[in-house]
Structures are given as structure tokens and as C-alpha cells.
Amino acid sequence: MNPVFNMESATLSPVALFLQADWVVKLVMLGLVLASIWTWAIILSFSARVRRTRKEMAKFEREFWKTDDIDAFHRAKADSDLPSARVFAAGVQEWRRSTAGKSIDRDGTRERLATSMGAAVALEVETLSDRLNILATVGSVAPFVGLFGTVWGIMRSFTSIAQAQNSSLAVVAPGIAEALFATAIGLFAAIPAVIAYNRFSHGVNKVEAGLNRFADGFHTTLSRQLDDER
């Protein structure tokens, strides 16, 4: 068995590269690994959440457009935590407040309905996209954190050269390998975060578009009913 080959294999293993690294590089690596774990946890949970939300929103809207009694539908869906249900509830509540008096300001009611449901849509989109900023941060910062670990590792390699007064590959290689490993971990954390951020942003935009379409349709329904009010 070739002892040189075994030494190189051990040196190039991720565990060995971590254990041999300077404490600063170790902190960088640990931070990036934790960021990667956090990123994947967000990716898995957010993906399931967006998929479930869009499916349940589509079902809610199909049921809504089939109903003939908006008040009964509102009572049945009062406890729903769907974005569509909350936008719907905001419209119903504003409708009741605006039409409670003896005289009805039709133009003012229409404007308040649009404002109320628009605010509800904005709040739902903000709540849904709450964790996307974490993905954006990891995607933009992780490569630079890994680069910091790389620079630090290369500086350590130059220090080793000066101390040993020897510029052979055996002296330089370990520090450079550790440094490059830090960059690799940074990219491993950043690339999925960037891809997921772009994908989920598209998904949130589609949810927002769906909520706006529903709000516009509901606003039109209430506007027609407003014309029938005496």
C-alpha cells in the first residue's frame, strides 16, 4: 500500500481539511455549514407552503364563485387562514361598515373596498415572503464569507513558508487546500439559496397575481351589488 497516496487522501477529505484548518477558517466553515442547513430548511418548508397555499387558494376561489350567498360563505370560511379568505374577509368587513348607514356613498365605498382589499393583499404577500430575505442574504453574502476564509488560509500558507523557509508544495498545499475548501462551502451554501430565491420569488408573484385577480373580481361583484342598493 502506498503511504503517500493514503496521506493525500486523508488530507483531501472534508473532515481532515476542517480539522487541519486555522481556527478562523474553522469558524468560517462552521458558519457557512449552518447557513447551508438553514437555507435547505427554508427551501423545503417554503416549497411545501407555497404549493399548498396555491392549491388551497384555487379550491377556495372555485367554491366562492359557485356560491349564491356571500354572507353564508363568509360565515363558513370565517376561521380560514388562507390568503384568499383573509382578502375576502377584508372586503366583506369593509362592505358592511360602508353600507351600514341610511345613505350610501357609492364612490367612496368602492374606493374603500379597493383600498381595504389591496392592503390585505399586500399584507398576505409580505407574510408569505417573510423568509425570502434570508435566502437573498445567504446567496449574496456566503461567497464573500468563503472568500474571506480563502484569503485567511492563503495568508496562513505564506506564513508557513516564511517560518519553514521552504516554498515546496508540501508546505504550501495544506493551507491552500483548506482555503479553497472554505470557498467551496461558501458556494455550496450560496448557489441553492440564489436558485431558490429566484424560484420562490416567482411563486410569490404568482400568488400575488392570483390574490389581485380575486380581489378585483370580488370588488366587481360588490360594485354591482352596490348599484342595486337603494
Side-chain angles (χ1 to χ4, degrees):
M1 187 176 293
N2 190 339
V4 175
F5 178 81
N6 288 338
M7 180 183 68
E8 291 176 352
S9 299
T11 301
L12 292 178
S13 70
V15 175
L17 289 173
F18 173 78
L19 294 176
Q20 295 167 7
D22 181 77
W23 68 271
V24 174
V25 181
K26 284 181 180 178
L27 288 177
V28 169
M29 291 179 181
L30 284 173
L32 291 173
V33 169
L34 291 175
S36 180
I37 293 173
W38 194 9
T39 294
W40 279 105
I42 293 173
I43 289 173
L44 294 176
S45 63
F46 197 91
S47 178
R49 181 183 179 188
V50 170
R51 185 166 55 249
R52 183 179 65 253
T53 297
R54 291 181 62 187
K55 181 179 179 180
E56 293 179 354
M57 281 175 53
K59 180 181 178 182
F60 176 90
E61 292 176 25
R62 285 195 301 269
E63 293 176 354
F64 171 78
W65 294 118
K66 290 179 181 178
T67 188
D68 295 325
D69 190 340
I70 292 178
D71 289 330
F73 186 80
H74 178 255
R75 288 192 297 271
K77 301 295 183 179
D79 296 330
S80 176
D81 61 350
L82 278 176
S84 296
R86 285 193 280 261
V87 172
F88 169 68
V92 170
Q93 290 168 6
E94 183 57 45
W95 167 264
R96 289 175 176 173
R97 285 193 295 265
S98 296
T99 59
K102 294 182 179 179
S103 61
I104 300 175
D105 179 4
R106 288 178 171 77
D107 291 336
T109 298
R110 290 187 177 93
E111 183 176 348
R112 286 189 294 271
L113 284 170
T115 301
S116 179
M117 287 191 287
V121 169
L123 179 60
E124 293 304 318
V125 171
E126 182 180 352
T127 302
L128 183 63
S129 61
D130 181 51
R131 291 191 174 183
L132 289 185
N133 64 322
I134 298 174
L135 296 180
T137 300
V138 172
S140 59
V141 172
F144 294 101
V145 175
L147 182 60
F148 170 75
T150 297
V151 172
W152 188 274
I154 292 175
M155 289 172 58
R156 182 170 173 261
S157 297
F158 285 135
T159 302
S160 299
I161 292 173
Q163 291 175 348
Q165 296 182 349
N166 185 350
S167 60
S168 67
L169 187 61
V171 175
V172 178
I176 293 178
E178 298 157 12
L180 294 177
F181 187 52
T183 297
I185 296 177
L187 294 175
F188 180 77
I191 292 173
V194 172
I195 295 174
Y197 176 80
N198 291 332
R199 180 62 182 170
F200 292 153
S201 294
H202 177 67
V204 170
N205 288 338
K206 293 184 75 171
V207 170
E208 182 178 12
L211 287 174
N212 282 324
R213 284 194 300 270
F214 173 74
D216 289 343
F218 187 37
H219 184 277
T220 300
T221 299
L222 293 178
S223 182
R224 290 197 187 99
Q225 187 171 339
L226 190 63
D227 290 336
D228 296 334
E229 292 288 334
R230 292 292 183 266

